[in-house]
Amino acid sequence: MTASFSETLRTATWADHESAESEGYLSALMAGRLSEHDYGEMVAQHYFAYTALDGVSRALADHPVAGRFVFPELYREPALERDLETIYGSGWRERITPSKSTRTLVARIQQVADWPAGYVAHHYTRYLGDLSGGQFIRMELQKIYGYAKGGGVDFYIFDELGSLPRFKTEYRSRLDELGTGLAEREQQRMIGEVKLAYQLNTEVLGDLAHLAGAAA
């Protein structure tokens, strides 16, 4: 039986996914070894990345291919703003700056805005992770820092989606539909972009690890 495109994509990029998840910063964060402000640095980098990703999503909302993956319920900017205000206070905007690796990630997200499959590659890499492993991260952060809904971990809360498993099933169905319309070469190009997306996100985490180590 031939694997679906979503299965092929997941299998082809699983090692890259695992590499991102095992990055030292996340391990330290989940072990409770980082301060709230060390965690805030990750939230800040997410803010810059998702401002770019959601901005491209808005621009592509009416696109016949990319628009199939635009869900306003997923937009993270308002949630990230609440989280940053909870962590840093009302002056949070003056406290945060994008790291070099985040600027690189943002530039790539903006570069693929005119390549539908490339946009979906970054959308898939971020949001399917947030809806899966991100839910475990949220529960651990609530235990470590005592956050409740309303600020701190709102980034990981997707109440507007309803059932997360059902949404992920629908999302993968759309990936499969996208894959059937792509030539083999274009499928491989998209898989390569997902691998790049994981690499760029892992580099962001690497910068955070260095920053947290310097602060310690």
Side-chain angles (χ1 to χ4, degrees):
M1 183 176 178
T2 304
S4 66
F5 181 63
S6 60
E7 292 170 340
T8 298
L9 186 60
R10 183 175 184 273
T11 300
T13 61
W14 185 251
D16 307 271
H17 169 85
E18 290 280 273
S19 177
E21 284 202 336
S22 64
E23 212 291 325
Y25 174 87
L26 284 180
S27 298
L29 182 65
M30 293 296 93
R33 297 199 302 268
L34 301 182
S35 71
E36 184 180 18
H37 282 192
D38 288 334
Y39 162 60
E41 289 292 341
M42 182 176 74
V43 179
Q45 302 315 308
H46 281 163
Y47 177 76
F48 294 111
Y50 281 87
T51 296
L53 185 57
D54 292 348
V56 172
S57 292
R58 292 184 179 94
L60 295 176
D62 295 326
H63 190 280
V65 176
R68 292 273 293 155
F69 295 86
V70 175
F71 301 89
E73 311 95 291
L74 287 177
Y75 293 163
R76 294 293 86 193
E77 291 170 71
L80 286 163
E81 290 175 356
R82 291 193 299 274
D83 292 343
L84 287 165
E85 183 162 359
T86 296
I87 296 166
Y88 291 122
S90 59
W92 63 267
R93 291 184 188 276
E94 287 70 47
R95 295 286 301 274
I96 67 172
T97 55
S99 66
K100 180 179 179 181
S101 55
T102 294
R103 292 196 299 271
T104 300
L105 172 61
V106 165
R108 186 58 186 170
I109 290 171
Q110 293 170 338
Q111 285 170 358
V112 298
D114 60 354
W115 172 31
Y119 157 74
V120 175
H122 286 269
H123 194 275
Y124 161 82
T125 300
R126 284 302 334 175
Y127 279 116
L128 262 289
D130 299 333
L131 295 170
S132 300
Q135 299 308 298
F136 170 75
I137 293 175
R138 173 183 60 80
M139 290 186 289
E140 292 303 302
L141 292 174
Q142 287 177 313
K143 295 175 188 175
I144 294 167
Y145 301 111
Y147 295 129
K149 184 178 178 181
V153 290
D154 280 15
F155 168 74
Y156 298 102
I157 298 174
F158 293 87
D159 287 348
E160 292 184 4
L161 292 180
S163 168
L164 298 191
R166 184 165 56 245
F167 178 83
K168 289 190 290 183
T169 296
E170 171 61 23
Y171 191 101
R172 293 188 182 102
S173 175
R174 296 188 185 203
L175 278 176
D176 293 338
E177 291 173 12
L178 172 64
T180 59
L182 298 178
E184 174 65 23
R185 183 175 179 179
E186 186 69 0
Q187 288 184 5
Q188 292 304 314
R189 185 184 176 204
M190 180 177 171
I191 289 171
E193 190 66 27
V194 171
K195 286 175 169 287
L196 176 61
Y198 277 125
Q199 176 189 329
L200 295 176
N201 280 281
T202 301
E203 289 171 359
V204 171
L205 292 173
D207 276 358
L208 288 168
H210 287 304
L211 185 61

